[in-house]
Amino acid sequence: MVSKAKPSPEEEPHGYEFFGPPGAFAISVGLPVLVYVFNFVCNDISGCPAPSLLSPKTLSLDKLKVEVGWPENGFAGLVSWEATAATAGYMVLSMILYRLLPATEVEGTELRNGAKLKYRFNTLYSSTVTLAALAAGTAAQGAEFPVWTFISDNFIQILSANILFAYLVAHFVYVRSFSVKPGNKENRELAAGGHSGNMLYDWFIGRELNPRVSFPLIGEIDLKEFLELRPGMMGWIILNCSWCAQQYRNYGFVTDSAICITAVQALYVVDSWWNEPAILTTIDITNDGFGFMLSFGDIVWLPFVYSLPVRYLATHPVSLGPLGLAGMLALIGIGFTIFRSANNEKNRFRTNPDDPRVAHLKYLQTKRGSKLLISGWWGVARHINYFGDWIQSWPYCLPTGIAGYQILSAGTHAEGALVMKDGREVIQGEAKGWGMFITYFYVLYFAILLIHRDRRDDEKCQRKYGEDWTEYKKIVRSRIVPGIY
């Protein structure tokens, strides 16, 4: 007689994350509103922040609406058919390139049923084609290239379209997850922490682990992996480039600060495309379900929040100079080296422990058969890659300086003002420093995100490895920052 298999530690009840259903509701409603707030409050109409916000005693809603560029037809003006169609076309183009261009097939990590899913990787190729087309258009038409002007003229409506798509994708995968049957031949699985029974929470956190959909003429696409690296990451670069083009249209030049942030962020993105198979060992792919949390993060949060510093510089240029630029490049070099070296070390050890580059590393053998590194980069801190990642985030924000500006009408003749081509003048004035809440938001947010991810991973590993994980933490004591945290 064969006894029924005991559930693995990963399948046991996980409890709620993000403060459960109330937290899921707050994030699902609050973050889209926050993205709108960022992009209205810091604008190219009145200032960053809008002047009325600096004088709360005289603040009126009607005046604030004018200062932030609120649509005349109200909420209906936040969306448009043109922006929605353009956003949909961008998504479809990404899927077409995914299917048409050469690709490498890679097996993912082992699922709970022992099977492995196959992934088709060619993000670097498809993104290169897209960037080459944009570069050609820019070479031919400069800052007036229609893609750049369309983004500037329809930015809020493009943001709205992406928010809409994030909600639609989350609803689709949630409803579809109920068709997952035990032992199905497609190797579909529910995420261990995504079927709590609470509809709102499961919709937010994601019920199905790796939802895949077949599209006509395109074929099957793994939605989570596809959205993680393609439209959002590429959108991040595209938005930065569009703000550089807007800076040129405003002033006739592009500053070293805007170029620096655009270049180092592009390096981060291209590195993720170059090392695409490494995504298969991340917690997003191996552990998290795909719901609103990831769909919104991939499609909206990443491109529209991470590009805020360059959007700021489009209206208020800042010059770094040789020393400032050298400092930014040094920071990104240190952070990138730690981040990429650590991730490469982990990936090589997981895929081929006999690789000469990692064969010398010490490890802790667990009862489950896994090996936990206790030397090399991973002997310094349990998530030393997060430390490198966070260091990289500083050069994304520091070039904006002591941020904040006010926009004055043409002919004001304010002392030290920057004059745009349309005659309007930009000064810092009373806004100086207040813009930092927006341009430096990424550094603070990213630190909180990485700490939260570390704690989630710690809980997951404690369930998985038990006493071995406790022993491992005694050997590798630091979580992220060596000797500090």
Side-chain angles (χ1 to χ4, degrees), residues 236 260-261 264-269 306 308-310 313 328 332 389 391-400 439 442-443 446:
W236 186 7
C260 175
I261 297 177
V264 296
Q265 289 185 342
L267 172 66
Y268 181 87
V269 173
Y306 293 11
L308 282 171
V310 185
L313 292 170
M328 295 305 103
I332 200 71
D389 216 0
I391 292 175
Q392 288 187 89
S393 71
W394 280 95
Y396 299 173
C397 305
L398 283 172
T400 62
T439 62
Y442 177 75
V443 168
F446 200 44

Side-chain angles (χ1 to χ4, degrees), residues 12 53 55-56 103 141 174 179 235 297 300 343 381 383 436 446 450-451:
E12 295 175 358
L53 296 174
S55 305
Q141 296 178 283
Y174 176 76
S179 65
V300 181
N343 280 341
H383 276 118
M436 294 175 70
F446 200 44
L450 294 176
I451 290 171

